[in-house]
Amino acid sequence: MEQIIAGVAVENVSYHFDILYGYIVPPELQHKAQIGSRVLVGFSRGNSKRQGIIFSLEQPEEGKKYKKIIEVLDDEPLMTAEMIELSKFLKERTFCTYFEAAKAQLPTGFNYKLNVTYVAVENNGKAVHLSDDEQKVYDYMLDKVCYQSKKKILSDCSLPESSPILEKLVAKGLAEKNIDASKQVGELSVKTAILTQKAEESGALSQLTKKQESVLSVLRDVGSAQVKELCAVTGVSAAVVKALEKKELISIIDSNVYRIPKTEYVDTKATRDICLTDMQNKAYLSLNEKYKNGGGVSLLFGVTGSGKTSVFLRLIDDVVADRKNVIVMVPEISLTPQMMALFKGRYGEKVAIFHSALSMGERKDEYRRVKRGLAQIVVGTRSAVFAPFENIGLIVIDEEQEHTYKSESSPRYHARDVAKFRAKWHNALLVLSSATPSIESYSLAKKGIYSLETLSERYGEAVLPD
């Protein structure tokens, strides 16, 4: 089989030494090792295990020596071609590493953590000098036989976590170190009961109790149901459901469910038709034409209360009708509930939410919903710009002048720059909305680099203050 070299972005590499490091893809891993997949590799002279992401696959250079990829962590690529190119863009623009740029695009729940464990190795009569503490730890590990975490070993031996004793034992050949990768947050699954073919045969239904018959009756009506719900509806215990499984009348499977963030309230009036003023309609028609003709960047410059939200809601209706995806960003978490109430009321389950106040499980599941096409609109703060859509039609940045769109940790990106990259990639329209736009955006709009739509009057009978 032809030898393939993976260009891998390795974690925890200094920016000055950050390149794509070449690793041989072993033949048994070639079906899984794809661009965008995460891998486990040996790095530096100590060959310590580190995570990495495959950025390229190419032929080996003649005469060059390569290490092998140890393990491929994903069954299918986690990162798309767009995400890989965006990582390169962020590295060049913000002076971060490839891995930092890639990691910024993924919610925390997708990260792997490396678990370090140790086990004792028999001395076999070798003369090795050990301190009292080293001997105590070594004797403890010999008794335990199996691999154990550093924290547990040192804790049980009454030593601080900072103690280097385990590494000293490894250096002396008296212990082995192992590193495995595990998911920080797993998928949430529930037990689901479904009818089997045997349940349809009349002869198989003899000698059933009334409770068992009630469970089968419900399943005939609904097809499948979570075991907990089934017990609640029929008033039976889980043992009754288990008995039906033993009789092979039902199958119980684990099915994944999504942890969807709760919305405090939903705006029930949000579904009504939007009536635009002449000025709003002019801005809407101009933006809609730009959206249909390959996108670009537009500044929606409207005084407070001029109805900018109504304009881009009409635009979102058009994009959703075209079966394209939408990202709407707000500057603060405090604004997200009111925006979610509006969007949930208008678009229902098509909406996903991205912001830092969500739990790790909620962040992961919202990301999964978007990636699997179960949501068409993402509403959120700065991180929403990385929503894993494959067919974006519109990106809206509300209050685009706010400083919260700039990341203060590496990579120090501005959401507006990322949005412009993504809009260009998808031939989408980026709308920057503000009553007080940034000097940069306003200048570019005045020069004609961005299109400029102006709303100079308040909506309805509202008047501007003196």
Side-chain angles (χ1 to χ4, degrees):
M1 189 176 286
E2 188 178 7
Q3 199 172 72
I4 298 174
I5 302 301
V8 178
V10 182
E11 71 171 334
N12 296 331
V13 175
S14 167
Y15 173 76
H16 300 289
F17 298 99
D18 184 51
I19 59 171
L20 296 179
Y21 291 89
Y23 286 87
I24 295 172
V25 181
E28 66 273 15
L29 295 180
Q30 286 187 10
H31 67 289
K32 285 179 69 179
Q34 299 179 48
I35 293 174
S37 298
R38 289 173 295 182
V39 293
L40 204 59
V41 296
F43 190 76
S44 73
R45 290 183 181 177
N47 216 30
S48 60
K49 290 183 182 177
R50 295 193 192 181
Q51 288 183 71
I53 298 172
I54 298 176
F55 269 56
S56 65
L57 293 171
E58 49 207 33
Q59 301 300 313
E61 292 181 27
E62 196 171 339
K64 191 172 181 179
K65 292 184 178 180
Y66 299 94
K67 295 178 181 179
K68 288 184 179 181
I69 288 176
I70 299 168
E71 184 182 352
V72 179
L73 301 175
D74 297 308
D75 292 327
E76 57 185 34
L78 188 63
M79 303 191 71
T80 62
E82 180 195 0
M83 295 169 78
I84 294 293
E85 291 305 313
L86 180 53
S87 298
K88 295 174 183 177
F89 170 80
L90 288 173
K91 175 181 169 61
E92 292 171 3
R93 293 272 302 204
T94 68
F95 303 102
C96 66
T97 66
Y98 284 113
F99 193 88
E100 286 173 337
K103 188 177 178 181
Q105 300 177 59
L106 301 171
T108 310
F110 273 93
N111 295 338
Y112 275 89
K113 78 179 168 184
L114 297 181
N115 305 306
V116 183
T117 54
Y118 297 85
V119 69
V121 176
E122 290 287 350
N123 189 2
N124 294 328
K126 289 189 293 184
V128 181
H129 173 73
L130 297 177
S131 67
D132 292 343
D133 283 342
E134 288 172 344
Q135 189 67 54
K136 180 171 69 172
V137 171
Y138 181 61
D139 291 341
Y140 168 86
M141 292 170 68
L142 280 174
D143 287 341
K144 297 298 179 184
V145 181
C146 59
Y147 280 92
Q148 288 188 296
S149 69
K150 176 180 179 179
K151 184 176 180 180
K152 178 165 176 55
I153 294 170
L154 295 177
S155 174
D156 289 353
C157 293
S158 303
L159 293 168
E161 280 192 50
S162 58
S163 173
I165 283 178
L166 288 168
E167 292 300 331
K168 288 180 178 179
L169 290 176
V170 171
K172 292 176 180 180
L174 297 177
E176 281 185 0
K177 179 181 179 180
N178 186 56
I179 303 177
D180 291 311
S182 64
K183 292 180 180 178
Q184 284 190 336
V185 179
E187 279 78 32
L188 183 64
S189 63
V190 294
K191 301 288 184 184
T192 301
I194 56 175
L195 287 173
T196 64
Q197 187 64 38
K198 188 176 179 180
E200 305 298 329
E201 301 168 8
S202 58
L205 303 181
S206 58
Q207 299 179 339
L208 291 182
T209 66
K210 287 185 177 180
K211 289 182 177 180
Q212 290 172 346
E213 287 176 353
S214 68
V215 170
L216 290 181
S217 176
V218 171
L219 285 176
R220 285 194 195 96
D221 290 337
V222 298
S224 65
Q226 292 181 17
V227 171
K228 281 186 178 180
E229 292 177 347
L230 202 54
C231 293
V233 169
T234 58
V236 305
S237 66
V240 176
V241 180
K242 196 72 179 170
L244 287 170
E245 185 187 27
K246 286 182 179 178
K247 292 176 184 285
E248 298 181 352
L249 297 177
I250 65 170
S251 295
I252 297 177
I253 60 173
D254 287 325
S255 56
N256 287 341
V257 295
Y258 295 101
R259 290 158 282 209
I260 298 176
K262 292 180 180 178
T263 305
E264 291 182 12
Y265 66 97
V266 173
D267 187 350
T268 54
K269 297 178 182 178
T271 54
R272 62 191 175 190
D273 290 337
I274 297 170
C275 296
L276 300 179
T277 64
D278 291 342
M279 188 173 285
Q280 288 174 323
N281 195 53
K282 182 182 176 184
Y284 156 71
L285 291 173
S286 178
L287 291 170
N288 190 45
E289 184 181 359
K290 197 165 180 64
Y291 153 66
K292 288 182 175 178
N293 289 289
V297 185
S298 293
L299 175 62
L300 181 58
F301 178 24
V303 297
T304 304
S306 59
K308 295 184 291 296
T309 303
S310 297
V311 173
F312 63 69
L313 278 176
R314 276 287 297 273
L315 202 55
I316 289 169
D317 289 345
D318 294 340
V319 177
V320 169
D322 289 343
R323 296 186 177 180
K324 291 189 176 183
N325 303 124
V326 178
I327 297 173
V328 180
M329 283 182 279
V330 293
E332 298 174 21
I333 294 173
S334 60
L335 296 176
T336 311
Q338 85 183 57
M339 196 66 92
M340 280 304 299
L342 174 63
F343 276 79
K344 282 280 189 179
R346 191 168 184 83
Y347 304 106
E349 294 305 311
K350 292 179 181 178
V351 181
I353 181 170
F354 280 34
H355 63 71
S356 59
L358 302 181
S359 68
M360 287 172 63
E362 287 172 335
R363 289 189 217 182
K364 181 174 183 177
D365 285 356
E366 287 291 83
Y367 189 93
R368 286 168 60 217
R369 277 209 310 133
V370 171
K371 194 170 179 66
R372 293 176 183 180
L374 301 177
Q376 206 173 346
I377 302 168
V378 163
V379 178
T381 49
R382 185 176 62 235
S383 61
V385 77
F386 295 119
F389 285 131
E390 294 185 4
N391 187 21
I392 297 173
L394 174 67
I395 303 174
V396 178
I397 303 183
D398 200 19
E399 303 296 343
E400 66 90 24
Q401 79 285 354
E402 290 291 339
H403 72 279
T404 49
Y405 288 123
K406 175 76 182 289
S407 171
E408 296 301 327
S409 57
S410 186
R412 291 177 173 81
Y413 66 91
H414 197 297
R416 186 174 56 228
D417 295 330
V418 176
K420 284 162 70 175
F421 177 95
R422 300 201 70 189
K424 186 175 181 181
W425 182 276
H426 292 269
N427 293 320
L429 174 63
L430 169 60
V431 176
L432 307 174
S433 174
S434 179
T436 54
S438 63
I439 293 173
E440 178 187 354
S441 296
Y442 190 64
S443 173
L444 291 170
K446 294 294 282 184
K447 290 176 181 176
I449 297 171
Y450 298 169
S451 69
L452 176 62
E453 313 303 332
T454 305
L455 302 175
S456 58
E457 299 172 359
R458 284 193 165 183
Y459 183 79
E461 297 179 0
V463 295
L464 288 167
D466 292 334

